[in-house]
Amino acid sequence: MAQKKKKPKVLLKKKQVIVLAATIVAVCACMLTVAIITSPQSATPDAASVSQESSSPEALANSATVEAVPLQDDGVAQVVAQLEAAERRAKEAERRASEAEKRAKEAEKAAEREKNAAEQASVREKTTAERLAAEKARAEKLAAEKASSSKNTSSSGTPKESSTASYNGGASSSQARQLAMGGTERAGTPPSTGSASAGQSAGGTAVAAKDYTIPAARPGATLVFVLDDGGQSLSDLQHYLNLPFPVAVAVLPQLSHSVEAARRVRASGRHELLLHQPMQAINLSVDPGPGAITPTMTTTEIDAIVRKNLLEIGPVAGMNNHEGSLITESKVKVGKVIEICQKQGIFFLDSRTTSATAAPQAALELGAKIWERDVFLDNTQKRADILEQIQRGLAVANKKGYAIMIGHVWSGSNLAQIMQELYPVLKAQGYSFSTVGGLYENFGS
């Protein structure tokens, strides 16, 4: 009985073991299933599902949308980069075109300058040739007149040769130098004088002032006499300082008598002092003398030389040019001279040694008032010629109200005597006398 009771206990234990094992297996299976389900690999579909899903229209659309986004961003960046590159190329092309246009304009200006220089050189060569021909013809004519004068003049009336030295201390100037500026109206160096002394014509016959009819002056007609080339001879200068009416004396710089001549003009108390500024003529063989403005000078150098001359001769009322046809044809250079006059508070008188003077245009652009020579008096020393030039000056004064007539100190007593003789006649006929600066009151606008 006891043995039968023990067998059920053993069997029960085996069942429990089996149940427990089954439970354990079930739990493990559940845990394994959960582990598989929650694993990342479980989120990835298998090849079949992927293939099946990707073949559906919705999957294809979603895939295209996802892939199109990065492709679209890359395309915009490329387009932007291309546009920026195109813009850079356009700007570079524009810059190169601008540079090319600038170079073309510079080349055009250079060609124009060369053309103008060539034309000017041609004109100057032609002018020089014409002047040389005229010089030769006039020299021959004067030689013939001198020979004729020598035959017809009495021993007491022998023509007086000029002993006035040229500005550089040399001998009397030649006929070539007289005509270097061309024409009969030229400012500059004294002409050779194969002419008669004061009061005589080339043939020795006296020509009195009364032989010339002096027209009555129109109201306000004013005469201005300017004597150039002071500083060469103090004795010649004194003839003009003794005149009973005011004249202007233009003194050359850096000569042996320049400072003393200027002092005497100022000390006269009646006459006006000018700086007679030397400038280069078109004829480069003509030396304008010390203190001159030359073609190669810069405006800074022009400023320096003119101020130096003003310090030596000044104080002055104004200045005019000695020779200077080449310089006064340059608007830049003569404009610089006029600008200096403006700053110094003095006037500029253009001696007009060339009809192509640029002084009026330069003065207009600077807003300056300048004066201009109307007549040259003593290109020859013949009394009749001088009187004829004075007659021309009277006609100008009666037409525009005043006339500026330029003579030269080296004419000495010859011109001074004529001016002294005419003074009472001119005054009686109603003409007034003035210096250049005195014109401002009535004609300065």
Side-chain angles (χ1 to χ4, degrees):
M1 289 294 294
Q3 290 180 347
K4 288 182 180 179
K5 290 180 179 178
K6 287 182 181 180
K7 286 182 179 178
K9 290 181 180 179
V10 173
L11 292 172
L12 183 63
K13 288 182 180 178
K14 287 183 180 178
K15 290 180 180 179
Q16 290 175 344
V17 171
I18 291 171
V19 171
L20 180 62
T23 301
I24 293 171
V25 171
V27 171
C28 290
C30 290
M31 292 177 64
L32 180 61
T33 302
V34 171
I36 293 172
I37 293 172
T38 58
S39 174
Q41 293 179 355
S42 66
T44 303
D46 57 13
S49 63
V50 169
S51 176
Q52 182 179 1
E53 291 176 357
S54 62
S55 62
S56 66
E58 293 179 356
L60 290 174
N62 292 336
S63 176
T65 303
V66 171
E67 292 177 358
V69 173
L71 289 174
Q72 185 178 4
D73 291 342
D74 292 344
V76 170
Q78 291 176 1
V79 170
V80 170
Q82 290 174 359
L83 289 175
E84 290 177 349
E87 184 177 0
R88 287 195 298 271
R89 288 194 297 271
K91 288 182 178 180
E92 178 66 16
E94 183 179 356
R95 184 187 66 80
R96 292 180 179 178
S98 178
E99 291 181 352
E101 183 180 1
K102 183 178 179 181
R103 288 194 295 270
K105 288 182 178 180
E106 291 176 352
E108 184 179 353
K109 289 180 180 179
E112 185 67 19
R113 287 195 296 268
E114 292 178 359
K115 179 181 177 181
N116 291 338
E119 290 177 352
Q120 290 179 1
S122 177
V123 170
R124 288 172 183 170
E125 290 178 0
K126 180 179 179 181
T127 303
T128 300
E130 291 174 351
R131 288 173 179 169
L132 290 174
E135 172 190 340
K136 181 178 179 181
R138 290 176 65 86
E140 292 174 353
K141 180 179 178 180
L142 287 176
E145 290 178 353
K146 183 176 179 180
S148 175
S149 175
S150 299
K151 292 180 181 178
N152 297 328
T153 303
S154 62
S155 59
S156 60
T158 303
K160 179 182 177 181
E161 294 292 329
S162 172
S163 60
T164 304
S166 62
Y167 59 81
N168 60 3
S172 299
S173 58
S174 65
Q175 182 64 20
R177 179 158 186 170
Q178 175 194 356
L179 299 173
M181 293 309 303
T184 58
E185 295 188 359
R186 183 187 65 83
T189 53
S192 59
T193 53
S195 58
S197 61
Q200 291 182 332
S201 66
T205 304
V207 181
K210 64 183 179 181
D211 294 335
Y212 284 80
T213 301
I214 302 298
R218 292 188 177 182
T222 304
L223 307 180
V224 178
F225 290 93
V226 180
L227 288 312
D228 280 355
D229 295 355
Q232 295 178 346
S233 168
L234 295 176
S235 59
D236 284 341
L237 172 64
Q238 195 60 44
H239 293 298
Y240 300 98
L241 298 182
N242 292 338
L243 290 172
F245 56 92
V247 297
V249 179
V251 176
L252 290 163
Q254 302 184 34
L255 302 182
S256 57
H257 300 301
S258 295
V259 175
E260 178 60 19
R263 188 196 67 78
R264 292 191 183 188
V265 174
R266 282 193 297 268
S268 69
R270 176 190 300 130
H271 307 300
E272 184 175 63
L273 177 63
L274 278 62
L275 167 63
H276 198 33
Q277 175 59 52
M279 303 180 187
Q280 182 60 56
I282 291 175
N283 187 342
L284 298 180
S285 65
V286 175
D287 183 359
I293 298 173
T294 62
T296 58
M297 282 185 174
T298 64
T299 53
T300 301
E301 292 170 330
I302 291 174
D303 184 272
I305 192 66
V306 172
R307 290 180 185 276
K308 178 182 179 181
N309 294 338
L310 285 171
L311 286 174
E312 178 190 21
I313 304 301
V316 299
M319 77 169 73
N320 68 336
N321 54 294
H322 171 68
E323 304 289 356
S325 55
L326 184 58
I327 301 303
T328 56
E329 286 187 2
S330 167
K331 187 171 68 174
V332 172
K333 289 181 169 56
V334 75
K336 183 60 180 179
V337 174
I338 296 172
E339 180 184 351
I340 295 170
C341 290
Q342 281 184 301
K343 292 180 179 179
Q344 294 290 319
I346 61 179
F347 62 79
F348 178 73
L349 167 63
D350 184 4
S351 299
R352 289 193 64 86
T353 55
T354 170
S355 60
T357 175
Q361 182 62 32
L364 180 64
E365 294 180 7
L366 289 168
K369 169 66 179 179
I370 67 170
W371 303 98
E372 298 179 280
R373 182 270 310 165
D374 294 301
V375 173
F376 281 125
L377 295 174
D378 52 357
N379 286 292
T380 79
Q381 292 295 292
K382 296 179 184 178
R383 179 181 176 86
D385 290 345
I386 293 174
L387 288 169
E388 182 180 352
Q389 293 300 97
I390 292 176
Q391 288 278 15
R392 290 185 58 194
L394 300 182
V396 172
N398 283 321
K399 182 177 181 180
K400 72 174 184 178
Y402 69 92
I404 298 177
M405 294 178 274
I406 293 182
H408 297 84
V409 170
W410 41 254
S411 287
S413 62
N414 190 28
L415 176 59
Q417 181 177 337
I418 295 173
M419 293 169 67
Q420 176 80 45
E421 178 185 321
L422 286 179
Y423 171 65
V425 181
L426 293 169
K427 187 175 181 180
Q429 288 294 83
Y431 294 93
S432 61
F433 297 80
S434 175
T435 59
V436 180
L439 292 176
Y440 278 97
E441 182 176 351
N442 295 319
F443 306 98
S445 58

